Amino acid sequence: RPYLSDKRVRQALAHTFPFDDFLATNYMGLARQVTGPFPYQSPAYNHDVERFPLDLDRARELLEEAGYFDSDGNGVVDKDGRDLEIEFMMPSGNDASKTLGLTMQEAFARAGVKLELTQFEWATFLDRMKKRDFDGCNLAWVPPLESDPE
């Protein structure tokens, strides 16, 4: 996705999300923010990678550096005539994904990014994942699990 290929855009999105509040509210402090694709207790997890703090000013700066401005005054930043609109897909009936998506939608909007939430029945969700036909989605690890990228 060209609009997500710039790491400044992805970093800006990370700076919009209230991780600490979300984890405290939705997981009663029993979850943690991870900074990579491996489980936190895995030997492959890199504990030296720092978390992105909630920082809306930095998020807006990064979007501007990447060339995104609200040029038409509609509340959504755009570049080359295209609003920065991202699709977040989730399996139908998954309340955890819906809660996450709604929180992301609200957080991204504060920086002028529109997040479109789409729900699919499981087979369609998996098909789109396999085809890599999505901007973002919610997946979960269910312990016990050992990491093996192969």
Side-chain angles (χ1 to χ4, degrees), residues 34-40 42 44-46 49 141 145-149:
V34 295
T35 57
F38 301 105
Y40 189 81
S42 168
Y45 187 87
N46 185 349
V49 176
W141 286 314
L145 172 60
E146 179 49 48
S147 166
D148 182 356

Side-chain angles (χ1 to χ4, degrees), residues 2 6 9 34 37-39 42 45 47 49 54 62 67 77 93-94 97-98 102 112 114 125 127 139 146 149:
D6 189 324
V9 172
V34 295
F38 301 105
S42 168
Y45 187 87
H47 293 273
V49 176
L54 176 61
L62 286 164
V77 296
N94 187 315
S97 291
K98 186 174 182 180
L102 290 170
K114 184 174 182 182
F125 179 82
D127 184 57
L139 299 172
E146 179 49 48

Side-chain angles (χ1 to χ4, degrees), residues 89 122-134 137-139:
M89 69 171 195
W122 185 246
T124 303
F125 179 82
L126 286 179
D127 184 57
R128 288 201 51 197
M129 278 191 51
K130 288 177 186 175
K131 292 178 181 174
R132 297 179 186 252
D133 181 24
F134 64 97
C137 67
N138 183 39
L139 299 172

Side-chain angles (χ1 to χ4, degrees), residues 41-57:
Q41 280 82 11
S42 168
Y45 187 87
N46 185 349
H47 293 273
D48 295 328
V49 176
E50 294 184 25
R51 303 175 342 144
F52 284 89
L54 176 61
D55 188 340
L56 290 175
D57 290 333

Side-chain angles (χ1 to χ4, degrees), residues 70-90:
D70 184 8
S71 64
D72 56 9
N74 70 351
V76 179
V77 296
D78 56 87
K79 181 178 179 180
D80 301 327
R82 184 195 183 279
D83 284 349
L84 184 50
E85 184 173 331
I86 300 168
E87 178 193 30
F88 180 75
M89 69 171 195
M90 65 190 91

